[in-house]
Amino acid sequence: GKQWYQRRVHGSQWVQRAALQRLGEFIVTLMPSIIPDALVDAYSTMAVANESEEEELVYQCAYNFPGVLYASGKSQWTKLKTIYFALWELDFAKVTRTLCCSLHEVARIVEREVACSELLPIFLERVEDAGECAVPLLSHAALLLSLANEEQRACFLDKVQELQEDSRSKWRIRETIASNFFEYARNYKPATIFKKCWGLIMLLCGDDVWSVRKCMGRSLWRFLGYCGREEFAGTMKSDLLCLARDERWTMRQVFCLACAEMWQAEDLLLESFLSPLIELTTDKVLGVRLAALNALKEQARNSGNLYNKL
């Protein structure tokens, strides 16, 4: 550390820049007890650059921040958070995206109390952005929700609803929501899922983009299993059965996708969904017939009881 600091002070401008760019990686290799204050002070200077030519330094600072915090220890958050919040204020898209990608890791390190009071407000503010921020934040939102309080969790559901409504041209946002929706749902009570999420889930099942429908359809059985003992579970099953009879072939295909995953909840399939699935093997649309046959194949391959029913 001493040799690095001497080179940082006495080296040329290019040596100083190169040293700063690698400073975060260097700090990560050190034990908390031997990290010199001079290194942390030098690292903090990277967060205040505001010229375009300094963007790479700021990016390296943001990229390495979770590692620096982990190496320094949670107890150093009070000192390092000034750097972290300064990075969020900078108007560099590359830096902001990096911070969004690692926010959940910072929250994991500082744990619930600090994450809830200082990091969740950033998450809830930035997730509204349908641009660069939404996808990386939504991809790891489940971990952040596990650290959130009830009010913050309720706020997140409202923002997901708004994103779904306002991002018709941003299909990757809807795909990310669909891919991770059940992981979000595990942080809520079944009644909340039914009241505030089930309608949105059905909307995503009818999305114009195939990958969104596929992601949502393949996780439907998880919601039924999670809410299976609740009084409204019958309504959820009825809604899913309606997909099998829907006039839109895309919805019938989604029903088949859902059934294809139900080998993991065999009783659910055999009890309620096997007969309509078999009927769809003669559907007028080739894509639906293939999806139904594939679902039966998955069931036969993973379930010993299906042959007895067929």
Side-chain angles (χ1 to χ4, degrees):
K2 182 177 180 180
Q3 291 179 347
W4 182 94
Y5 185 66
Q6 289 174 344
R7 292 182 181 179
R8 164 77 176 90
V9 173
H10 300 295
S12 70
Q13 177 183 354
W14 300 109
V15 173
Q16 293 179 21
R17 181 184 295 272
L20 281 174
Q21 288 182 354
R22 295 292 176 261
L23 178 55
E25 299 173 15
F26 177 64
I27 293 176
V28 169
T29 65
L30 302 176
M31 297 293 291
S33 59
I34 63 173
I35 297 177
D37 291 339
L39 292 186
V40 177
D41 292 340
Y43 177 76
S44 66
T45 64
M46 300 166 64
V48 298
N50 54 15
E51 300 294 336
S52 59
E53 61 267 19
E54 300 295 331
E55 182 175 357
E56 185 60 30
L57 285 180
V58 180
Y59 169 74
Q60 291 294 333
C61 182
Y63 181 83
N64 290 300
F65 186 87
V68 171
L69 178 61
Y70 181 79
S72 302
K74 183 180 69 171
S75 61
Q76 295 299 310
W77 168 251
T78 304
K79 183 175 183 179
L80 292 172
K81 69 178 183 179
T82 303
I83 304 171
Y84 190 63
F85 295 143
L87 290 169
W88 278 105
E89 294 298 323
L90 296 175
D91 189 22
F92 294 140
K94 184 178 179 180
V95 173
T96 301
R97 181 172 178 81
T98 301
L99 293 171
C100 290
C101 290
S102 62
L103 178 61
H104 66 289
E105 293 294 348
V106 176
R108 193 201 305 268
I109 295 169
V110 299
E111 299 181 351
R112 182 183 299 272
E113 183 177 353
V114 174
C116 187
S117 61
E118 300 190 46
L119 299 183
L120 264 297
I122 295 176
F123 166 69
L124 293 172
E125 177 185 354
R126 297 284 180 161
V127 79
E128 292 180 318
D129 181 8
E132 293 292 320
C133 294
V135 170
L137 288 175
L138 289 168
S139 297
H140 303 287
L143 189 150
L144 291 164
L145 288 172
S146 70
L147 303 173
N149 58 39
E150 291 298 323
E151 181 180 352
Q152 290 167 333
R153 289 173 184 167
C155 182
F156 174 74
L157 289 183
D158 293 335
K159 292 184 182 298
V160 167
Q161 181 74 42
E162 293 171 5
L163 277 172
Q164 196 278 336
E165 294 174 351
D166 297 340
S167 61
R168 300 308 303 172
S169 61
K170 303 282 187 178
W171 65 270
R172 290 195 182 277
I173 293 178
R174 304 195 305 279
E175 181 187 45
T176 304
I177 293 172
S179 299
N180 294 277
F181 215 140
F182 181 70
E183 297 304 317
Y184 306 159
R186 294 174 66 179
N187 293 288
Y188 298 89
K189 296 179 180 178
T192 302
I193 296 172
F194 179 69
K195 293 178 181 179
K196 301 201 68 173
C197 302
W198 188 244
L200 177 57
I201 290 168
M202 290 292 101
L203 284 176
L204 291 170
C205 286
D207 197 271
D208 296 335
V209 178
W210 156 244
S211 62
V212 178
R213 299 196 303 271
K214 179 176 69 173
C215 291
M216 197 70 262
R218 286 180 171 176
S219 65
L220 284 175
W221 73 274
R222 296 180 180 272
F223 291 93
L224 293 178
Y226 190 66
C227 303
R229 296 185 178 181
E230 304 295 331
E231 60 181 12
F232 48 79
T235 302
M236 297 173 72
K237 290 180 182 179
S238 297
D239 290 343
L240 187 52
L241 286 169
C242 287
L243 299 181
R245 301 186 295 269
D246 199 284
E247 294 181 354
R248 295 166 292 177
W249 71 269
T250 55
M251 301 298 275
R252 301 196 299 274
Q253 187 183 50
V254 167
F255 174 82
C256 297
L257 289 174
C259 291
E261 300 296 327
M262 284 186 191
W263 63 268
Q264 302 174 76
E266 182 181 347
D267 293 341
L268 184 62
L269 174 76
L270 299 180
E271 175 188 342
S272 305
F273 302 112
L274 183 58
S275 295
L277 178 61
I278 294 174
E279 292 177 7
L280 289 175
T281 59
T282 59
D283 194 271
K284 61 182 179 180
V285 177
L286 176 61
V288 177
R289 297 199 302 271
L290 291 175
L293 290 169
N294 181 69
L296 290 172
K297 181 188 74 173
E298 290 297 319
Q299 294 298 330
R301 183 168 61 181
N302 294 286
S303 170
N305 295 329
L306 183 61
Y307 289 110
N308 299 328
K309 293 293 182 179
L310 295 174

